[in-house]
Amino acid sequence: MTAFLSVFITVFLAELGDKTQLATVLFASEDGKSKWMVFFAAAAALTLSTAAAVLAGAAADRFVSALPLKLIAGAGFILIGTLMVIEHFRAV
């Protein structure tokens, strides 16, 4: 149960306010769109993308040890964040 809560809380917090959630908010706010249709379509898309991530992670586990994979993921996040900060200051 601890592993479940750890994954749930981490993913839940990571998803708050991200582009996917903002796109879902925009779809749900449009007139004429069923709120339930938006909910089920978004839930299905997130489920499928999560399944793909789990399969990719399981495949990567066979070829890369956990520590380098975490370092690669962390470096990727740092790179993306750095590029976003640079882009912000270029726009100003």
Side-chain angles (χ1 to χ4, degrees):
M1 188 59 139
T2 303
F4 176 86
L5 286 175
S6 175
V7 172
F8 178 87
I9 291 169
T10 302
V11 172
F12 181 80
L13 292 175
E15 289 296 321
L16 288 177
D18 76 343
K19 293 180 297 193
T20 305
Q21 189 177 41
L22 295 175
T24 304
V25 167
L26 290 174
F27 281 123
S29 68
E30 291 178 2
D31 288 334
K33 285 206 176 163
S34 164
K35 305 317 177 213
W36 286 109
M37 183 278 305
V38 172
F39 171 78
F40 286 117
L46 289 170
T47 300
L48 186 60
S49 67
T50 300
V54 169
L55 291 174
D61 185 44
R62 293 184 203 161
F63 303 107
V64 182
S65 71
L67 182 59
L69 191 57
K70 286 182 181 180
L71 289 174
I72 292 167
F77 279 117
I78 291 170
L79 177 64
I80 291 168
T82 302
L83 292 173
M84 291 176 74
V85 169
I86 290 170
E87 185 64 29
H88 169 75
F89 285 109
R90 280 188 182 165
V92 173

